[in-house]
Amino acid sequence: MKAAPFAYHRPASVDEAVDVLAAGDAKVLAGGQSLVPVLAMRLGRPGTLVDITRLPGLDALSVSGGELRLGAAVRQRRVERSAEVADVPLIGRAMPFVGHRELRSRGTVCGSLAHADPAAELPAVAACLGATVEVTGPSGTREVAARDLVTGAMTTVVGADELITAVRFPVARAGDGFGFAEIARRHGDFALAGVAVHVVRGGAATLAAFGVSDRPVVRDVTVGHDPTEAGLRPVTDALAREVVDTAGDAHASRGYRARLLGVLAARELVRAHREAHA
Amino acid sequence: MRVEADGTAEVTMTVNGRAVTLAVAPRTTLSDVLRDRLGLTGTHVGCEHGVCGMCTVLLDGEAVRACLLFAVQCDGVALTTVEGLGSASDQHPLQEAFAHHHALQCGFCTPGMLMSSYDLLAGGTYDEHRLPEDMSGVLCRCTGYRGVLAAVAHVARAHPDGVPPPRAAVPPALVGRSGSASVGATLASDARKSPISAPETIAIPSGPPTATVEVRSELTSPVDDVWAVLADFGRLAACLPGAEMTADLGDDRYRGRATVGLGPVSLRFEGLAHVVDHDASARRMRVLAQGTDRGGSSTQAVIRLAADPADGGGTVLWADADVHLSGRVAQFGRALAGDVSRRLFEQFATAVDEAARTGEAPAPGSGPGPVRLALVAGERGQPQLVPMRRVWGTVSTIALPPRPSMRRMSCSTAV
């Protein structure tokens, strides 16, 4: 369980990081809470790790222009404890489910997006809220909608010579309500099914399901004026049957995951609707 | 700043109040440095991949997994290990409470439990109702959780204004056990390792497969053209994402390699394939495959392929496989399999259709994209006789492991 030998590169600038990545056979090391286990098991053996956690500017956490912007070196636990997280309540709801305290103290928000585990919470939050991801490569920085970021299990549109440098979440407005829930076998495990929801006063809602496909699945839902869990179940159950396309495994069949998603979605939509109309 | 793989970097850290400077190789973990170089064996190492929590220490005051940090990342940080929390003669209140509440049996998890609970109480987010969840980051295998939770709750109540800081008044001497001389030698021997040799025979494990995949794809090409691709192993191999045939060994045996890439996971399997059944009239074949990665992961598979004519002149391509994973890839495995396997077979089917249409194997690079890795946890059970599946008709039975339907994936793909 020791990583194969690799060169360690701590660049002084994002440009230098991009140069090292562009040279090939290199991976970005941020929090390392997903990457290092892969190295320890020798399921991956990149020639170079590019440690971006000390790059100037990447540790910035700020709110401006109606957006919460998190640099690539901003750790999950710092976000969770920050005053600014109140501006994007869905992050605060989701964060306790991300691994454990001991992992969030090192893990980064952008790293979770870049790793794109199908059962990860933060890519679903970013997709639900319509966050914007800043991706920097040899030709500069481009913006990618979080909903377009993930293209498959642990696969994103970020090129081998690019890195995510920041993510911007829209700040909640009056009349917004949120919900987040997941079911895992033990706290901190990857979710068997989970849901992040955003309801706007008036009834329009966005739902992002995770752990049930190879990427977060975003759907618009209409919840009406006075939704109840029982009343929403036909809608969420049908939605769950449509979006759950992961295979079953020893822990949860496909049908069970769909059942979980239908229940969680209805419950959280009602909760978010109540919050939006409070 | 760059440290080559066979080089070392000087790292200065404050450990339990004492400054230390060491030369470390990039791949050396913090947990190994604490134990092997500084003699701080109170930090235990369990799983070495961040799951068990035995190696939990405080880094700049926050609990972290020492096995998920490379020491080279830790230049300038302050660390507290269980030795710094308190000593036998001057115990920290948490240590006293653990003793009082019998929060330990074998004691292996105790350093991790202590450091994690210190972090919880010092972090300002303590909530007695959430205590079980908040303490779930460290595993105990003696079922000692109740004692641990009682001890932590006791200290929280006894110190409502915050838990006292680590004692660390008399930090233990930092003495190395194995020194640093072995780093270069270890790397050198690693580099000298010869490439893995491919196995000479294919042995399919007798137990149940890790994953079972069953895919049905509708192709536009006529069935005879599709079968011509499947029947020519060189063309078939070219349609497998990431795979390459390197030698025809005769007697329907082939040597090859397959690269699997999934995020940071990158495995390179070298191995053999053996076409054990080939029925041209029924357009069915069965292939055994085996591959080994130099990292100690291996896979074996029984793959069945069948081509049937479809209405409208196209072809229905059936592909199903029993995939056995062993070694570290199996440890890592969980339910990514369905999504990933489906992609793999979609890519394979697309490539077969293309090859059937053009009469050629897909050119390297133009064919399927990166392979997706099949990772699922399987259930264990005894082999049993089950009817062969519909692809093979109902005329015979074959010994197959049990297949709970929940483990099974079936999907249709229109290509």
Side-chain angles (χ1 to χ4, degrees), chain A residues 1-12 16 20 27 29-49 51 53-54 75 77-78 81 96 99-106 115 117-119 151-155 186-188 190 212-215 245-254 257, chain B residues 1-5 26-27 29 32 47-50 56 59 62-65 67-70 72-77 115-117 119-120 122-125 133-138 187 190 193 262-267 293-295 297 328-329 331-332 334-340 342-343 372 376-379 406-410:
Chain A
M1 299 299 285
K2 311 289 183 194
F6 57 83
Y8 173 82
H9 198 112
R10 192 191 296 154
E16 185 184 339
V20 178
K27 290 281 179 197
L29 174 64
Q33 305 298 288
S34 299
L35 176 62
V36 178
V38 168
L39 303 186
M41 294 189 179
R42 301 211 176 183
L43 296 172
R45 45 177 82 214
T48 302
L49 292 191
D51 182 354
T53 54
R54 300 193 189 200
R75 302 190 191 279
R77 199 162 174 201
R78 180 173 158 215
R81 289 167 150 189
H100 301 280
R101 265 182 301 127
E102 300 90 333
L103 302 175
R104 298 196 295 276
S105 59
R106 295 297 298 181
H115 190 64
D117 190 291
T151 57
M154 292 164 74
T155 310
R186 290 165 296 256
H187 183 88
F190 285 102
V212 296
S213 182
D214 66 346
R215 71 195 81 178
D245 69 349
T246 195
D249 62 18
H251 303 313
S253 65
R254 179 176 170 161
R257 287 172 196 262
Chain B
M1 174 218 177
R2 183 180 177 91
V3 189
E4 294 304 329
R27 67 167 178 154
T29 59
D32 282 350
C47 71
E48 275 197 310
H49 63 285
T56 305
L59 184 149
E62 291 192 340
V64 300
R65 306 274 206 239
C67 73
L68 293 187
L69 275 166
F70 298 112
V72 69
Q73 297 174 267
C74 298
D75 192 36
V77 307
M115 304 318 284
S116 176
S117 54
D119 173 75
L120 175 64
T125 58
E133 287 77 23
D134 283 340
M135 283 302 296
S136 62
V138 183
L187 289 174
D190 215 59
K193 261 186 205 162
L262 187 68
V265 173
S266 175
L267 298 169
D293 173 75
R294 62 181 172 151
S297 298
R328 285 166 179 153
V329 68
Q331 285 179 28
F332 191 69
R334 54 190 181 82
L336 289 173
D339 326 315
V340 155
R342 178 184 53 204
R343 288 285 185 94
R372 308 314 175 92
V376 283
E379 288 187 344
M406 64 188 280
R407 244 198 17 243
R408 209 153 151 184
M409 189 187 73
S410 183

Side-chain angles (χ1 to χ4, degrees), chain B residues 8-333:
Chain B
T8 59
E10 286 230 323
V11 173
T12 299
M13 307 178 284
T14 306
V15 182
N16 298 330
R18 184 171 295 203
V20 292
T21 299
L22 312 128
V24 297
R27 67 167 178 154
T28 305
T29 59
L30 176 62
S31 48
D32 282 350
V33 163
L34 291 172
R35 290 178 56 83
D36 297 344
R37 305 281 297 282
L38 301 178
L40 296 171
T41 53
T43 297
H44 291 168
V45 171
C47 71
E48 275 197 310
H49 63 285
V51 174
C52 75
M54 300 305 104
C55 64
T56 305
V57 299
L58 303 181
L59 184 149
D60 292 337
E62 291 192 340
V64 300
R65 306 274 206 239
C67 73
L68 293 187
L69 275 166
F70 298 112
V72 69
Q73 297 174 267
C74 298
D75 192 36
V77 307
L79 296 166
T80 305
T81 68
V82 70
E83 290 91 343
L85 190 65
S87 63
S89 57
D90 182 21
Q91 291 192 335
H92 187 273
L94 272 167
Q95 291 168 313
E96 291 175 342
F98 268 55
H100 179 75
H101 289 277
H102 193 65
L104 62 159
Q105 290 187 42
C106 82
F108 192 76
C109 72
T110 308
M113 289 287 186
L114 285 167
M115 304 318 284
S116 176
S117 54
Y118 177 86
D119 173 75
L120 175 64
L121 298 181
T125 58
Y126 175 78
D127 175 350
E128 187 162 356
H129 301 294
R130 284 209 322 265
L131 184 56
E133 287 77 23
D134 283 340
M135 283 302 296
S136 62
V138 183
L139 300 180
C140 167
R141 297 287 86 148
C142 306
T143 70
Y145 293 108
R146 284 195 175 279
V148 172
L149 300 181
V152 176
H154 175 99
V155 175
R157 281 193 299 270
H159 298 275
D161 299 326
V163 67
R167 296 285 197 248
V170 187
L174 303 173
V175 288
R177 290 203 306 165
S178 59
S180 61
S182 62
V183 172
T186 309
L187 289 174
S189 74
D190 215 59
R192 275 200 304 275
K193 261 186 205 162
S194 56
I196 63 123
S197 55
E200 292 307 311
T201 57
I202 298 176
I204 300 296
S206 56
T210 315
T212 303
V213 178
E214 184 178 309
V215 172
R216 174 187 187 276
S217 301
E218 290 174 11
L219 311 186
T220 54
S221 302
V223 68
D224 288 331
D225 292 352
V226 169
W227 178 251
V229 175
L230 300 183
D232 177 344
F233 198 83
R235 293 174 72 194
L236 183 152
C239 295
L240 284 166
E244 180 188 357
M245 187 179 96
T246 54
D248 183 344
L249 304 175
D251 294 332
D252 291 325
R253 293 167 75 245
Y254 305 90
R255 189 179 299 286
R257 62 173 70 104
T259 307
V260 177
L262 187 68
V265 173
S266 175
L267 298 169
R268 187 180 160 92
F269 290 104
E270 305 259 354
L272 288 178
H274 185 187
V275 181
V276 288
D277 289 327
H278 182 109
D279 183 343
S281 58
R283 300 187 204 89
R284 268 123 179 80
M285 63 192 295
R286 190 161 66 100
V287 183
L288 307 183
Q290 172 167 321
T292 307
D293 173 75
R294 62 181 172 151
S297 298
S298 69
T299 180
Q300 292 85 23
V302 183
I303 302 162
R304 302 173 195 85
L305 298 172
D308 288 329
D311 297 338
T315 303
V316 175
L317 175 65
W318 305 87
D320 73 299
D322 294 337
V323 180
H324 300 259
L325 299 175
S326 57
R328 285 166 179 153
V329 68
Q331 285 179 28
F332 191 69

